[in-house]
Structure formats: structure tokens, C-alpha cells
Amino acid sequence: MRDYEGSIAFLGIWGWYQVKVIFFLCTLSFPAGYNILSVIFLLAIPPHQCYIPAHSNLSQDWIQASIPIQFNLVCDNKWKQPMSSLIYFLGSLCGCFLSGQISDRFGRKPVLFSSIFILSVFNIALSFAQSWAVFNVLFFMVGMGQVSICIVLLVLGSELLVDVPRVLFSSLALSFFYSAGMVAFPGTAYIVRNWRYLSVLMALPGLACFPLWWLVPESSRWLVSKGCFKEAELLLRFAALENGVEFPSDLFRSAKSQQSEQSQQPEQPQQPEQPQQPEQPQQPQQPEVSGYLGLLRNTTTRSITLVVWFLWFSLNVSYFGLSFNMTTLYGNPFLNYALLSLMDIPAHLVSWFSAKYFPRRVSFIVFSLLGALALFVIQITLHKYHNITLTLVLIGKFGVLASEGILHLLTGELSPTVIRNTMLSSAALFSRVGSSITPYILQLAVFYEFLPWLTVGLLSVIGVFVSLFLPESFGKTLPDTIDQMQVIKKFKFKGLCRQKDDGNSAEAPAVSETSLSEIKCSTAF
């Protein structure tokens, strides 16, 4: 169905249906935001001594309150602490890899609630871990469930909503509830210092979300792409009833007839061989996209995929680089992380305003440069001006988050429905590769104190350059098929390319001339 958004225009832009979808989906993002900082607080290393005198009287409660102390992740075993962070992010990476393909095949809603179930159950199981190895296995599963929720929610909301509600959901509402979870967790960690009790509390928001199964609809757009017109029609009839509009009787008639003709078309009998006719030039067939490797095999999706992967990777390195570096700053760590989480709200407000009125690429470049500038200036103020340093970190976080909100929206708008979840989950996979190596980027401070900040800032600058190749999606219809995708942006250097006219150029086909010109004079990533 080539014009899905035009077909469901009868629902209107705003109505009770759109309000309910935004509220329920945003509520489901709270558990994911509540758990994202667990990798920092659960693995935080308290003040300690590597040599404890024999006459010291340490209480068992103090020992069990911290994972690094209880499982001996300090001193000679201090390499284990970043390893646990890596395992958590590897779980997130695995969740990105699996959730996208499973969701594109079996639906958005089952994968969404399965991810919430995994997050909740393994958080509870985490509190019973008696060894570092068991803790890592369970922590891996927690990371897998956490990131899968974010990916499927972004895709489901993008497909259920259109126009202004979609922009509001993707760039503001979803991020607001996610940030609310992030702000709530440092306060919980401040009150509950024992990591076992904290793990149980981390499961409660997810358990509270299960009743929403009966209130959150499946993506009718995904159902149509799979040929499930009856199920999609039922959902849209209910949406029309909620908005108080009339449901058109012939909504999917053309799509149904086309599907029935294809299924009932008899096989053509073999015809006797005819004299061979000169072959007509044909456009090369694009291979069908299936899985992550299919994104690279198809020429239409390959270039955009590579650019999107790098941008998600670099932004996540910047995001977690700032988060992990907060432990080195002056002041109360709980207050610092609460301020860092609160910065999400103005960042997403500005991101939503920018997405509503300005082109995507321009907004992304401006916010990324703002974050990179703050990261570079931090080197001057780090040890001399503590309050200015904290302000610069918050500005850097603001720039990274605002550009991340634009990138999430841009990725969803450039991806067609048939592979949207696969594209977003593959991009999130590369973002988790970035977060996985972040704890080790911090170790670069051994060679030069400011090297971690320089690395993160440099990645942001490279991301700005790479984003110039992406096409613009502002004000354009969401694609449903590969054929409707935009192509990568090309830059032509006409001054360097002058074709010689030897008098025979008029006899050459125009197609070969333009293709030769494109090969010589265009630069595409």
C-alpha cells in the first residue's frame, strides 16, 4: 500500500485515539529510563583501602551494600568493574540485534511487552546473585531488555501516529517520560544504598506496566505491510470510533484486490520458443532487504545505513562518556547525576521545537557542534573552576541529547515501513557498541588526562561532517517501501569536471554521458 498515511487521513490529526497512544507508549518508556543509570550506580566503587588491618572491625552490612566490595572488583581485580559495564552494554547490543528482526517479523507489541518482562524478571533475579559470574549473566539480560523497549516504542509510535503527533511523540513526549525515569533513579539510589534492595525496586516500574497490554494497539501500518488487512481494519475502526469519525467502507479495497489477484494468478503455460528479440535495457532489480546484512546488500539502503550507524555510534560514545566522567567531577555524585538527568527535559523541548520548524540536518549539526565545543572547553576549566566545569558538562549533555532526538526522528523518517524496525535496531546496536567501549575510553586518561574528553569531542565533529551526506526528511511523507526511500546526498564539483567535446559526443547516448559524469564529478559517502 503506497499511500498509507493518505488512506488513514479520515482519523484526523488530533483526537482521543492519538492522545491515548502517546500517553500509554510514553508510560511504557519509564522503566527503560529508570534502569539506564543502573550500570553507574550499581557498579560505583565506594571509598576503600586495598590493605585492611587485621584489627579492623568492618560490618557485614557495609560489605554487602556495594557490588565492587562484595564481589571484590577493586584493587588487583579493578579490571572486573569496567568488564561488568561492558557485559551490560553487550546485552543491550544483543537486544538491538534480536528485537528489530523479531519485531519486523512477529509484530511490535509482542516484542515490546516481552522486553518489559525480561527487564523486570531479571532485575529481581539480580538481587539473588551470589557471585560475580552469575551477576554478569543476569546483568546481561537486564541490558538486553532495557534497550529493546526503547527501540520498539520509537517504531510503534512512529507508525501509529502521523504528522504533528508523530513529531511530538518522537522528539518530546517519549523522551520526557524516559528522562523522568532517569531523574527518579538517583533519588532512589540515594535512599536505598543496598544494591540487592535497589535491584528489586528497579523491577517495579516494569511490573506496573503489564496491564497496559490491553490498552496499547498493534501497529496497523505493520499489519498492512504484512497483508493482514482484516486485523488492521479492526484496529482502525476502533480508532475511528474513539475519534468520533466515520470509517470508510472501501479503505483497503484496492490493496485487497491486488493481493487476491497475485495469490490467484494461475501459472502461465510454457510457450513455444520464439525468435530472440533484441533485449531492451532494464533497470537493475534491487535485492530484497532481509536482516542487517540485507541493509548493506541493497544499494538503496546501504549508504544511508552506514551514515546512520556511525552517527548513532558517535552520539552514544559522547552520551555515556559524559555520564561516566561525572564521577570525576567535584560535588555530590547523586546531585550531579540528578542535574545531568534533568538536562534531558530542556534538551528534548528544544529538540521538539527544532524538529517542528527547522530542517533535520541543520538542527542536528547545530546541536552537535554545541556539544563538541563544550567538551573541548572543559579541558581549560576542569581543575580550576568546578562550577563552570559542571555547567559545561550540562551544556555538552544538552547538545548531545538534542542532536540525538533529531537523529532518532530522522532515522525513522528515512526508513521505509518494511525495514524501519530493522534499521532502528541496527542503529541502536551500533550505539551500544559505542557505549560498550566508553568505560575503556575513560582509561585513556592514564596516557593523558584530557584524552577522553578530546576523543568524545572529536567524534562529535566527525559526526557533523558525515551527517552532511544524509538526505532531508523535513515535511516529507514517511516511506513504506524501499522504492520510496530517498537516496544519499551527492556533492558535485563542477569546476573539476569538464568533459571534452570532440565532435562525436552527440552520437553517444545521453544515459552513458550522465552516468559517466556522475561517476567522475560526484562524491557520495
Side-chain angles (χ1 to χ4, degrees), residues 104-359:
D104 279 339
R105 184 170 183 179
F106 298 105
R108 318 309 195 196
K109 185 177 174 180
V111 176
L112 172 60
F113 282 90
S114 298
S115 301
I116 296 175
F117 176 80
I118 291 173
L119 179 67
S120 303
V121 169
F122 282 95
N123 265 325
I124 295 175
L126 200 66
S127 64
F128 296 98
Q130 298 298 324
S131 67
W132 181 62
V134 174
F135 171 83
N136 284 335
V137 172
L138 299 175
F139 210 34
F140 177 91
M141 298 301 297
V142 170
M144 184 170 69
Q146 189 274 336
V147 74
S148 301
I149 296 172
C150 303
I151 298 170
V152 182
L153 278 175
L154 185 61
V155 174
L156 184 57
S158 299
E159 294 179 351
L160 289 174
L161 304 167
V162 296
D163 202 23
V164 176
R166 179 198 294 152
V167 176
L168 176 66
F169 169 80
S170 301
S171 58
L172 181 61
L174 182 65
S175 305
F176 180 84
F177 278 74
Y178 185 88
S179 302
M182 291 181 62
V183 173
F185 188 74
T188 307
Y190 179 78
I191 297 171
V192 182
R193 299 298 181 95
N194 189 297
W195 72 272
R196 295 187 185 276
Y197 299 146
L198 186 60
S199 299
V200 175
L201 291 175
M202 286 161 52
L204 295 183
L207 295 175
C209 288
F210 278 105
L212 294 180
W213 168 271
W214 290 275
L215 299 174
V216 174
E218 178 58 275
S219 169
S220 54
R221 190 166 196 152
W222 174 83
L223 290 170
V224 170
S225 70
K226 294 297 182 180
C228 304
F229 297 105
K230 186 178 296 185
E231 293 84 349
E233 184 175 327
L234 182 63
L235 291 174
L236 291 174
R237 282 185 181 275
F238 184 73
L241 183 64
E242 287 189 313
N243 280 2
V245 297
E246 184 178 354
F247 185 84
S249 57
D250 58 345
L251 180 61
F252 298 129
R253 181 175 297 174
S254 60
K256 288 179 181 177
S257 60
Q258 184 179 2
Q259 185 187 40
S260 60
E261 288 176 2
Q262 292 177 353
S263 60
Q264 297 177 4
Q265 187 175 5
E267 295 183 1
Q268 297 293 335
Q270 293 185 355
Q271 300 291 337
E273 294 185 2
Q274 300 292 336
Q276 291 186 353
Q277 299 293 333
E279 295 184 357
Q280 298 294 329
Q282 297 181 356
Q283 294 293 332
Q285 295 268 337
Q286 293 287 356
E288 183 181 354
V289 174
S290 177
Y292 294 151
L293 293 179
L295 295 174
L296 299 178
R297 293 193 191 102
N298 189 289
T299 55
T300 306
T301 60
R302 182 190 305 130
S303 300
I304 291 180
T305 299
L306 290 174
V307 174
V308 165
W309 283 357
F310 178 80
L311 293 178
W312 281 62
F313 168 84
S314 62
L315 277 181
N316 230 46
V317 170
S318 302
Y319 179 89
F320 282 99
L322 284 167
S323 299
F324 281 113
N325 266 324
M326 287 294 287
T327 57
T328 64
L329 297 183
Y330 175 81
N332 187 309
F334 296 97
L335 180 59
N336 287 346
Y337 276 107
L339 290 174
L340 196 69
S341 301
L342 280 172
M343 186 54 61
D344 289 27
I345 297 175
H348 291 306
L349 277 170
V350 174
S351 175
W352 166 75
F353 181 83
S354 176
K356 187 176 181 181
Y357 295 106
F358 300 103

Side-chain angles (χ1 to χ4, degrees), residues 494-515:
K494 296 181 180 179
L496 301 177
C497 305
R498 295 182 179 177
Q499 297 180 354
K500 295 181 179 180
D501 187 5
D502 54 359
N504 298 325
S505 59
E507 301 176 2
V511 174
S512 62
E513 185 177 353
T514 48
S515 61

Side-chain angles (χ1 to χ4, degrees), residues 42-52 62-63 66-82 84 132:
L42 288 181
L43 297 175
I45 298 177
H48 63 282
Q49 292 181 348
C50 292
Y51 173 74
I52 302 177
W62 181 85
I63 295 175
S66 171
I67 289 175
I69 299 300
Q70 183 174 354
F71 294 148
N72 192 21
L73 310 185
V74 294
C75 301
D76 293 339
N77 293 324
K78 64 181 180 180
W79 60 271
K80 291 183 178 180
Q81 192 256 4
S84 293
W132 181 62

